[in-house]
Amino acid sequence: MNCALIFAGGTGQRMNTKTRPKQFLELHGKPIILYTIEVFENHPDIDAIAVVCLGDWIPFLQKKLAHYDIAKVVAVVPGGATGQESIRHGLDALMEKAGPEATVLVHDGVRPLVRPETISDCIQSVAERGSAITVTPAIETIVQEENGEIVNVIDRSACRLAKAPQCFNLGELYAAHERAEAEGLGDFIDSASMMRHFGHSLYTVEGTPENIKITTPSDFYIFRAFVDARENSQIFGL
């Protein structure tokens, strides 16, 4: 089985909204997280989806899933105190539903512009090489600094920006989380960092620049522009 674990447990403080978390902000009447879920729902190779959600918003999300006829979501679980703990909750649900031999694609709930082709490439990479980390090229100069002074200018041709989905064998990622908990390691910033720490090889899949994470108001406006452009291309045949 190929499973998606969609992480939507954050409150979105950088979005500067006081009404609702960023993943539930609406564009054309549909919450951002539904745009994300639909990409995986409509992908023919995705068999099951688990969503990690803020506990107070689970009833709202479940109503939206029913409204938009989402059929592949097999679990909606509350998040934890940290992102790492929240992902573990989603992995618990998928282990029960799909088992350790499944492939899991860990994806941000506020990254709705991921392309189906990227999902397909990630699934293939896990099958052939054991992992898939979606990346895009670094397009600006990257520097290292200490105390306000630049100490190194890094060759950006060798640099990539790690995005999502980040994909692994479900049993292996679950085992890594168990080991991290046993060793008291609770501050991994993402699944790739954890798997790398425990000695797993990570392989890249080239993603697309529009696969942005909607974190700030400007990100939301970019998202809206992409959605409107796609709708216009369907209407006018552009």
Side-chain angles (χ1 to χ4, degrees):
M1 295 181 67
N2 299 312
C3 305
L5 194 169
I6 298 179
F7 170 70
T11 57
Q13 295 179 359
R14 282 173 289 180
M15 184 59 75
N16 195 31
T17 174
K18 302 183 185 302
T19 56
R20 58 180 61 190
K22 60 184 178 181
Q23 58 269 36
F24 295 108
L25 294 177
E26 294 187 353
L27 177 63
H28 303 321
K30 183 190 299 185
I32 293 172
I33 189 172
L34 264 296
Y35 284 93
T36 304
I37 292 171
E38 282 184 336
V39 180
F40 291 89
E41 170 79 13
N42 295 329
H43 196 287
D45 295 329
I46 295 296
D47 302 297
I49 303 169
V51 184
V52 182
C53 180
L54 291 167
D56 291 343
W57 285 83
I58 288 178
F60 176 86
L61 177 58
Q62 290 174 328
K63 290 179 181 179
K64 292 296 182 179
L65 293 173
H67 176 77
Y68 287 99
D69 296 322
I70 303 297
K72 292 182 181 179
V73 172
V74 297
V76 179
V77 298
T82 65
Q84 181 178 322
E85 184 180 338
S86 295
I87 291 175
R88 169 61 189 268
H89 289 180
L91 293 175
D92 286 338
L94 288 177
M95 284 288 285
E96 180 180 341
K97 300 292 185 179
E101 297 304 316
T103 293
V104 60
L105 294 83
V106 181
H107 194 72
D108 301 300
V110 287
R111 208 181 279 274
L113 294 172
V114 59
R115 289 187 178 180
E117 295 85 356
T118 300
I119 294 173
S120 297
D121 291 343
C122 285
I123 291 172
Q124 182 177 353
S125 179
V126 174
E128 295 178 352
R129 303 183 291 180
S131 66
I133 308 301
T134 307
V135 300
T136 56
I139 59 174
E140 298 192 46
T141 301
I142 299 173
V143 300
Q144 289 179 298
E145 63 93 16
E146 294 179 3
N147 300 319
E149 179 184 359
I150 293 175
V151 296
N152 189 24
V153 179
I154 302 172
D155 180 7
R156 71 183 182 193
S157 67
C159 295
R160 300 291 183 270
L161 303 178
K163 298 196 173 185
Q166 298 183 355
C167 318
F168 308 93
N169 169 268
L170 176 55
E172 291 182 356
L173 182 57
Y174 189 82
H177 272 264
E178 288 188 316
R179 184 173 174 184
E181 291 176 17
E183 297 181 10
L185 302 174
D187 58 352
F188 288 105
I189 60 171
D190 60 7
S191 298
S193 300
M194 177 184 290
M195 294 296 273
R196 179 68 174 172
H197 177 82
F198 290 123
H200 291 268
S201 297
L202 304 181
Y203 295 95
T204 61
V205 166
E206 194 81 7
T208 56
E210 70 265 27
N211 183 19
I212 61 172
K213 184 177 181 180
I214 300 176
T215 305
T216 65
S218 60
D219 297 327
F220 182 84
Y221 298 137
I222 293 170
F223 169 51
R224 183 172 66 185
F226 272 108
V227 171
D228 290 345
R230 288 179 180 178
E231 291 182 351
N232 290 339
S233 67
Q234 294 179 23
I235 295 171
F236 299 109
L238 300 176

